[in-house]
Amino acid sequence: MKKIINDPDLVVSETLQGLALANPDVEYIPGVEVIARKEKTGNVGIVSGGGSGHEPAHAGYVGKGMLDAAVAGNMFSSPSPDRIIEGIRHANSGKGVLLVIKNYSGDIMNFEMAEEIAKMEGIEVDHVVVRDDVAVEDSTYSTGRRGIAGTVYVHKIAGAMAATGASLAEVKRAAEKAIAEIRSMGMAMKACTLPAVGHPNFELAEDEIEIGMGIHGEPGVERCSIQTAAELAKTLTDHIFADYNYDNSEVALLVNGLGATPIMELYILNKEVHKILEARGIKVAHNLVGNYMTAIDMAGASVTLMKLDDELKKLLLAPCHTPGLCVGD
């Protein structure tokens, strides 16, 4: 294992410290592994988080127009309720806090426990759950569909709505509206290596890929021979279109890398996805290509679509400035 680290047990805290040093608008809260905005907005606070290893998610989305705080667990492990409650406290400006949770059993349990603690402290809290992965209905880590890269769009929509001064109920409505319009499908070519483990967490043959693999290495729907970018684009989008009708609509498109896939390859995949969308009369209003929800150093990619109406498009294109995503001014 070759990694630029000091101590496997310090990877999470040292990552967050380094992020905070590079971004003066946020602060690192030691001991609880929270990244929070230094200045409260006076609006509804948006908090997300989960296991580390998915960078820039989630700490990379703390900033103007997105999250007010992000809570990091250990590698691929949910943060504990005591960490999450600190994130809620730092995000609370008095108008309430919305939690954006990916659908994994540990995250659901711990975020809901923290929500109850916050309510006992007099903080108004609510939550939404992201289930955008169309690959499998149940997985090793979840009951129901997993939350993956589409979570980034939920952060963006919720953060933009909160920035308008909307109420907690209105922010939750916008987030749930986005969740209903988002679908994702991914694949993997090579396993990731957890720093504390030192070896890949699964094996794929040299000419083999796994369609629908999760961001923690959960099994997908099939293993097959390596495909061309055009074939892969069709495979991934076919699964999405089988689940939801995007034909003749306007969408946001995210072609997401899992950590070790060169940006060159992601752009090639993006080109092929565009060809498929154009043939279906689907217009791309906003396109992201890069590493937005990773799996440490896994080689692979996912495709995410979000159907847009006037409200979602306006919120999507509203300005935001975070380490992981900037839109507009």
Side-chain angles (χ1 to χ4, degrees), residues 157-186:
I157 297 302
M161 179 59 88
T164 68
S167 68
L168 178 57
E170 291 170 326
V171 175
K172 179 179 180 179
R173 179 197 60 78
E176 289 186 325
K177 181 178 183 180
I179 288 168
E181 304 292 350
I182 297 171
R183 300 292 187 278
S184 300
M185 184 70 182

Side-chain angles (χ1 to χ4, degrees), residues 247-296:
D247 290 356
N248 302 306
S249 64
E250 192 169 30
V251 302
L253 166 64
L254 167 58
V255 175
N256 175 64
L258 294 179
T261 303
I263 191 71
M264 174 190 295
E265 297 174 25
L266 297 178
Y267 278 129
I268 294 171
L269 179 60
N270 188 60
K271 175 185 74 75
E272 296 300 335
V273 172
H274 271 260
K275 289 167 62 176
I276 292 169
L277 299 184
E278 184 178 0
R280 287 177 167 267
I282 302 170
K283 179 183 176 182
V284 178
H286 190 261
N287 190 186
L288 295 173
V289 180
N291 290 321
Y292 291 92
M293 177 75 71
T294 63
I296 311 177

Side-chain angles (χ1 to χ4, degrees), residues 85-163:
I85 187 62
E86 285 299 322
I88 293 171
R89 290 168 182 152
H90 278 84
N92 180 38
S93 291
K95 291 190 66 174
V97 174
L98 181 71
L99 307 178
V100 179
I101 312 170
K102 300 191 307 302
N103 187 37
Y104 297 100
S105 300
D107 286 350
I108 297 290
M109 179 179 66
N110 289 343
F111 273 84
E112 288 186 345
M113 287 177 63
E115 179 178 340
E116 292 306 311
I117 295 169
K119 287 178 178 177
M120 288 189 288
E121 294 181 0
I123 303 173
E124 187 182 7
V125 185
D126 210 333
H127 70 269
V128 296
V129 179
V130 185
R131 302 178 174 92
D132 58 309
D133 188 357
V134 302
V136 293
E137 286 300 324
D138 296 289
S139 78
T140 312
Y141 284 66
S142 67
T143 300
R145 292 181 173 182
R146 304 172 294 215
I148 55 173
T151 309
V152 178
Y153 281 139
V154 183
H155 293 165
K156 179 67 182 72
I157 297 302
M161 179 59 88

